[in-house]
Amino acid sequence: MLEIYLLYGLPSAGKCTWATELIKLSPGKYKRITKDLLRELLDNSLYNRDNEKFMLSIRNMIIKESLLKGYSVIVSDTNFPFGGIHYETICNIAKQVGDVTVIEQYFDVSVEECKRRNILREQKKVVPESVIDNMYNKY
């Protein structure tokens, strides 16, 4: 049976690290999909609302194609709100493909720890602290 891991958490909560480790443990089983990498690849990391809609459509296409080719998927974005639109979208893709389990994985890491880890990131991946604070306060 195929799986989609839908990861939730603040920036620097460890979602990508967790996904990378899972992929190492099961080579050839999973495809990791994140809008951050799609933005970097397609638009030099440009973020705005219109571009985000495009990234979501590309993300969803890649998820579906990966499943159809027999790969399980890890979606390692922040994916807030928990159980919200991203979850509904992922569940709809799973239903379209059939025989796919959606697993939600929440990374419960304090905002202070996320900020500490964020500073240690590669410079181009550092998120403004205000973004972390806003996400924390919103979700």
Side-chain angles (χ1 to χ4, degrees), residues 123-134:
Q123 184 58 40
K124 71 178 184 174
K125 294 183 179 183
V126 171
V127 176
E129 275 196 14
S130 62
V131 170
I132 296 173
D133 286 330
N134 287 342

Side-chain angles (χ1 to χ4, degrees), residues 61-75:
M61 181 188 67
I62 293 172
I63 291 169
K64 187 173 183 179
E65 286 300 312
S66 296
L67 294 167
L68 290 170
K69 298 291 188 217
Y71 296 103
S72 288
V73 174
I74 306 166
V75 182

Side-chain angles (χ1 to χ4, degrees), residues 12 117-129:
S12 296
R117 292 177 184 180
N118 185 51
I119 294 168
L120 301 174
R121 282 178 153 182
E122 181 183 334
Q123 184 58 40
K124 71 178 184 174
K125 294 183 179 183
V126 171
V127 176
E129 275 196 14

